[in-house]
Amino acid sequence: MKKGDPKYKHQGIHVIASIFTVDKGVTKVLLIRRKKEPYKDMWSLIGGALYNDEDLEEGLRREILEKTGISEIDLYFGSVFGKPDRSPVMRMVALSYLGVIDQKRVTKLQETLDTVDAFWFAIDDIPPLAYDHNEIVVDSLVKLQNMIGKTNILRALFPHGFTIPEIQKTYESILQKTFDRRNFRKKILGLGLIKDTGKMVTFEGKKPAKLYEFNRKKQDKNVF
């Protein structure tokens, strides 16, 4: 390595998050619309360039706070995207993370110098994105699919409880498959991961259903 070699110059690091939530059983990802070039007026994932004095996750949390107002979120490392031409400005290596959050906790989506809007898009209705962000969000969704089958990552999405039809629809939305209603109910109850709160709520305008919550005394189990 020669420090003076010009091939080492003009490189940077992007930290990028695919932030997922669930709205009435539909899985959505948070996108922002760019105000400036490159990719002006296009939608993109949340993120930006890392400062020289920042830890990776620290820099990403700063970007999330600046562009969305979200201050607390569960983040999980995703992948590295390093094609030399992924940014038209300079060589930028992207480190992706996926995040999950209860939509009720997102109280402010704010405009910044670089962004003009923010919106939750259903994962089957994502528009063409800036940079290679379509590739990144697909990669993050695959990782989310693997995670919800093996862990209780859904705890962060349903901190106030859920009905069994609602969580079944969530699994179906994320995994992009359908489950038999009776078999799903039997399995999810049989694992001991959830418990009855004694309350009743209405989901999708149907008759009231029991409200459940995750049993925090139980260790994570492989659901599927």
Side-chain angles (χ1 to χ4, degrees), residues 13 29 41 60 70 72 80 95 102 105 108 122 127 143-144 154 165 172 199 212 216-217 222:
I13 298 173
V29 64
D41 295 327
L60 180 56
I70 298 173
E72 294 182 12
V80 179
L95 303 175
D102 172 20
R105 286 183 48 214
K108 183 170 67 171
K143 288 180 170 54
L144 179 62
L154 291 182
E172 290 176 338
K199 301 177 182 179
Y212 291 85
R216 299 187 179 278
K217 296 181 180 180
N222 192 341

Side-chain angles (χ1 to χ4, degrees), residues 15 32 59 61 81 97-98 113 138 145 162 165 176 196 199 201 203 219:
V15 281
I32 54 176
R61 291 186 182 278
F81 296 83
Y97 287 75
L98 66 96
L113 291 175
V138 168
Q145 290 171 340
F162 51 86
Q176 298 180 352
D196 189 346
K199 301 177 182 179
V201 295
F203 176 64
Q219 295 183 344

Side-chain angles (χ1 to χ4, degrees), residues 5-34:
D5 193 321
K7 289 186 177 181
Y8 289 119
K9 296 182 179 180
H10 306 298
Q11 299 189 66
I13 298 173
H14 274 155
V15 281
I16 300 170
S18 299
I19 301 176
F20 297 100
T21 195
V22 173
D23 180 15
K24 298 179 181 178
V26 177
T27 307
K28 298 182 177 182
V29 64
L30 184 59
L31 301 178
I32 54 176
R33 190 153 55 90
R34 295 179 59 82

Side-chain angles (χ1 to χ4, degrees), residues 3-215:
K3 294 183 178 179
D5 193 321
K7 289 186 177 181
Y8 289 119
K9 296 182 179 180
H10 306 298
Q11 299 189 66
I13 298 173
H14 274 155
V15 281
I16 300 170
S18 299
I19 301 176
F20 297 100
T21 195
V22 173
D23 180 15
K24 298 179 181 178
V26 177
T27 307
K28 298 182 177 182
V29 64
L30 184 59
L31 301 178
I32 54 176
R33 190 153 55 90
R34 295 179 59 82
K35 186 185 293 185
K36 297 180 179 180
E37 297 291 355
Y39 304 108
K40 182 180 178 181
D41 295 327
M42 290 190 69
W43 293 94
S44 72
L45 294 169
I46 315 298
L50 187 73
Y51 293 155
N52 286 334
D53 60 350
E54 287 181 314
D55 175 76
L56 298 177
E57 191 170 309
E58 176 189 359
L60 180 56
R61 291 186 182 278
R62 171 185 55 77
E63 286 285 340
I64 294 172
L65 179 61
E66 290 175 355
K67 293 176 179 175
T68 70
I70 298 173
S71 60
E72 294 182 12
I73 185 173
D74 293 333
L75 293 173
Y76 305 87
F77 181 72
S79 300
V80 179
F81 296 83
K83 293 180 180 178
D85 60 350
R86 63 171 302 275
S87 171
V89 178
M90 60 187 290
R91 173 71 187 275
M92 296 292 292
V93 175
L95 303 175
S96 75
Y97 287 75
L98 66 96
V100 292
I101 191 169
D102 172 20
Q103 191 181 43
K104 295 178 182 178
R105 286 183 48 214
V106 182
T107 57
K108 183 170 67 171
L109 301 176
Q110 57 192 31
E111 182 177 347
T112 72
L113 291 175
D114 297 319
T115 62
V116 69
D117 198 5
F119 189 75
W120 290 103
F121 284 82
I123 57 175
D124 58 356
D125 192 30
I126 298 173
L129 304 180
Y131 299 98
D132 51 358
H133 290 191
N134 284 95
E135 180 182 355
I136 292 175
V137 73
V138 168
D139 179 81
S140 296
L141 180 58
V142 170
K143 288 180 170 54
L144 179 62
Q145 290 171 340
N146 292 332
M147 292 174 70
I148 69 158
K150 299 178 181 178
T151 73
N152 286 337
I153 193 172
L154 291 182
R155 290 177 189 270
L157 295 173
F158 295 105
H160 306 295
F162 51 86
T163 67
I164 290 183
E166 183 178 17
I167 201 169
Q168 178 177 343
K169 188 173 180 179
T170 299
Y171 272 111
E172 290 176 338
S173 173
I174 294 175
L175 296 175
Q176 298 180 352
K177 62 189 298 185
T178 59
F179 299 98
D180 176 80
R181 181 177 59 85
R182 292 183 179 179
N183 289 340
F184 181 90
R185 181 183 182 86
K186 181 178 179 180
K187 183 165 187 177
I188 200 74
L189 290 174
L191 289 172
L193 293 175
I194 65 176
K195 61 181 180 180
D196 189 346
T197 65
K199 301 177 182 179
M200 302 288 288
V201 295
T202 301
F203 176 64
E204 292 188 331
K206 299 178 182 179
K207 63 180 182 180
K210 290 183 177 180
L211 184 70
Y212 291 85
E213 63 182 10
F214 285 103
N215 189 344

